[in-house]
Amino acid sequence: MPIKSKYLFVASMDVDADKEALFNEVYDTEHVPNLLKVKGVHAVARMAGEPFVMSIGGEEKRVAHDGPRYSALYEIDGPEVLVSRAWAEAVEAGRWATQVRPFTRNRRHALYRLC
């Protein structure tokens, strides 16, 4: 995905296996659409980590996925978006806060500025 915004916010986490279907449904149908309404949020892409093989230095290297399974990448205008009232309301909206978030773990958040 070509990044057009100045910042990329990444939210990564694991979810309890018995809540995985609900997690994906709510993330796709409620959480992402709610956050896309926030001024300064321009795009969201969801990813699931997996192991892979890559060629480096003339050899193939197997790389295990290390870290949370799911990540969401948010193109945003800047760090101020993450503390805006609209963001705070969006992350608590719908079923996410009560029916999904309690079953997530190994949560990691990172902010990257485009060089």
Side-chain angles (χ1 to χ4, degrees):
M1 96 181 163
I3 298 173
K4 298 176 183 174
S5 299
K6 292 182 181 179
Y7 285 86
L8 187 65
F9 171 66
V10 181
S12 303
M13 65 199 73
D14 290 314
V15 62
D16 293 350
D18 63 331
K19 299 293 183 184
E20 197 163 10
L22 178 65
F23 171 87
N24 286 309
E25 177 209 340
V26 171
Y27 221 119
D28 290 340
T29 64
E30 295 178 24
H31 199 57
V32 167
N34 287 336
L35 287 165
L36 282 170
K37 294 176 187 173
V38 174
K39 183 178 178 185
V41 176
H42 301 285
V44 180
R46 292 189 59 228
M47 313 295 277
E50 57 184 52
F52 60 97
V53 177
M54 66 181 288
S55 180
I56 187 167
E59 295 182 26
E60 284 190 358
K61 179 181 177 182
R62 294 189 181 283
V63 181
H65 178 72
D66 183 25
R69 174 165 164 72
Y70 291 101
S71 292
L73 291 66
Y74 298 83
E75 285 189 49
I76 63 173
D77 286 342
E80 66 281 356
V81 172
L82 304 173
V83 293
S84 69
R85 181 182 191 105
W87 179 276
E89 291 172 359
V91 297
E92 299 303 321
R95 296 178 288 167
W96 179 260
T98 58
Q99 295 180 32
V100 177
R101 187 187 299 137
F103 303 100
T104 63
R105 62 188 181 292
N106 196 22
R107 295 173 65 90
R108 298 180 187 175
H109 298 97
L111 182 67
Y112 300 93
R113 182 178 45 82
L114 193 61
C115 297

